[in-house]
Amino acid sequence: MLNVAIIGASGYAGADLSLIVAKHPNLQIGGLYVSEGSADAGKLLSSLYPRLHSYVDLPLQPLTAEALNDVKKCDIVCLATAHVVSMRLAPELVDAGCKVFDLSGAYRVNDPAFYPEYYGFEHENLKYLEQAVYGLAEWNAEEIKKTNLIAVAGCYPTASLSALKPLAVNNLIAEGSMPIINAVSGVTGSGRKASLTNSFCEVSLNAYGVFKHRHRPEISHHLGQKVLFQPHLGNFKRGILATIYVQLRDGVTDEMIEKAYKEKYAGQNIVRIVDHWPAVKDVEFTPFCDIHYQREGNTLVVCSAIDNLQKGAAAHTMQCINIRFGFEPTAGLL
Ligand SMILES: NC(=O)C1=CN([C@@H]2O[C@H](COP(=O)(O)OP(=O)(O)OC[C@H]3O[C@@H](n4cnc5c(N)ncnc54)[C@H](OP(=O)(O)O)[C@@H]3O)[C@@H](O)[C@H]2O)C=CC1
Ligand SMILES: CC(=O)N[C@@H](CCC(=O)OP(=O)(O)O)C(=O)O
């Protein structure tokens, strides 16, 4: 059994990941950590999340210097922490010989200029940014197998890229056109910490981050072409629904579209090409990404649904761990 340390385990993504690790046949939890001054230090994770009772009755440990030495003894470290925290922790854990899976955006785009512009900070560890591999499991498996620092893809980017990449790599998108991604996320997307935006009486259905959300350049970078991405906050807890409008090249046939999706995803258990319009309720608490599409002339509407904490974070992390260590692709997940 390999030991997995989860830093940021009390957060929404960390808690989902703790349960997946606890159920994995080849892994065990080596330690659950929160910040040194956390109000939750010493509590059982299952006391914060009663649904984890009898699965993960382990304490949340403050990440002191001494605790960090224990973390370094683990085979795998998952950083379910804010971007700056991950940016600072990842290098010394990689240097200690750990395989590091970062759920934040700190290592996702290998372009230093991207961080001041979209994250508001200068990247402090460019050497590690260069080494990091983008953890988009269905697309980057060969690179994931070879690296010790995996930057698990973002939630909206996972929904968007899973739907768009088959079209892009098969050159089906009209040259000069820009796919438009209209996506709605549940409120867990903004994390567990209370804020006015995510409080019960404030949440409605609204657009945010117009033109400047950090996931727009993340998607464009890993798709290899510009997109227009518009996120919305919806009044549900979990899930992302992305409805995407694509201009197809002249001459693209139904068969070419079907081949692009089926060839990529046939035989894969996590991304499912379904025969109905995907719904958040069908993927909630699951690792799946459901995709469906329909065309009219040269316009294609493609829809994808994920659980932002599962395929958008914790389950996607586990797919990357499974790839990195050669475990069954869906171990711990299905
Ligand atoms: N929520 C989502 O849908 C998704 C989130 N992600 C990414 O995953 C990461 C976690 O997100 P999420 O779970 O939503 O966030 P939360 O705010 O819910 O959780 C953050 C966690 O980090 C802990 N933490 C904060 N500061 C430190 C520190 N200095 N050292 C150690 N632990 C610390 C927090 O505990 P405490 O403050 O008590 O110390 C808490 O456990 C983020 O980078 C996010 O961008 C990725 C995809 C989807
Ligand atoms: C609803 C909401 O606020 N969603 C977050 C994205 C979720 C997230 O944590 O982003 P990463 O996938 O990059 O880690 C946002 O728009 O900033």
Side-chain angles (χ1 to χ4, degrees), residues 4-5 7 13 22 29 53 60 72 110 120 148 151 153 186 191 212 214 318-319:
V4 184
I7 303 185
I29 295 177
H53 188 70
L60 294 159
K72 288 179 184 169
N110 186 1
N148 294 336
K212 58 178 197 295
R214 66 190 189 282
M318 190 49 69
Q319 282 187 278

Side-chain angles (χ1 to χ4, degrees), residues 97-276:
C98 306
K99 310 290 181 281
V100 176
F101 296 80
D102 179 24
L103 282 73
S104 87
Y107 290 91
R108 289 184 194 147
V109 176
N110 186 1
D111 171 8
F114 169 76
Y115 287 90
E117 187 171 355
Y118 290 99
Y119 281 76
F121 60 81
E122 291 285 340
H123 206 290
E124 294 168 10
N125 296 305
L126 296 179
K127 191 180 104 194
Y128 295 83
L129 181 60
E130 236 167 72
Q131 293 169 20
V133 165
Y134 191 58
L136 189 64
E138 281 75 15
W139 294 89
N140 288 351
E142 289 315 308
E143 291 88 340
I144 291 169
K145 280 179 197 166
K146 291 184 240 156
T147 185
N148 294 336
L149 176 54
I150 289 108
V152 182
C155 51
Y156 286 120
T158 294
S160 307
L161 290 167
S162 300
L164 280 169
K165 272 189 90 76
L167 303 172
V169 300
N170 287 287
N171 199 22
L172 304 185
I173 302 175
E175 214 174 311
S177 72
M178 195 156 62
I180 297 172
I181 303 158
N182 208 20
V184 189
S185 170
V187 185
T188 52
S190 60
R192 182 166 175 259
K193 210 169 261 167
S195 78
L196 193 58
T197 355
N198 66 14
S199 79
F200 187 80
C201 292
E202 296 297 325
V203 173
S204 176
L205 175 58
N206 58 274
Y208 66 99
V210 179
F211 293 125
K212 58 178 197 295
H213 194 281
R214 66 190 189 282
H215 286 172
R216 182 184 188 191
E218 182 180 328
I219 297 165
S220 296
H221 183 85
H222 292 287
L223 187 64
Q225 76 160 91
K226 284 195 171 149
V227 297
L228 184 53
F229 165 65
Q230 183 52 59
H232 299 76
L233 184 68
N235 66 350
F236 52 96
K237 289 180 185 167
R238 287 176 170 248
I240 287 178
L241 185 74
T243 302
I244 307 173
Y245 314 92
V246 182
Q247 282 308 115
L248 298 167
R249 268 181 188 283
D250 287 340
V252 170
T253 62
D254 289 350
E255 291 69 33
M256 287 157 83
I257 301 168
E258 187 175 331
K259 191 162 171 265
Y261 282 109
K262 290 261 162 79
E263 260 183 7
K264 179 64 201 177
Y265 295 128
Q268 306 237 11
N269 292 311
I270 301 294
V271 179
R272 308 186 295 194
I273 306 301
V274 295
D275 62 3
H276 53 271

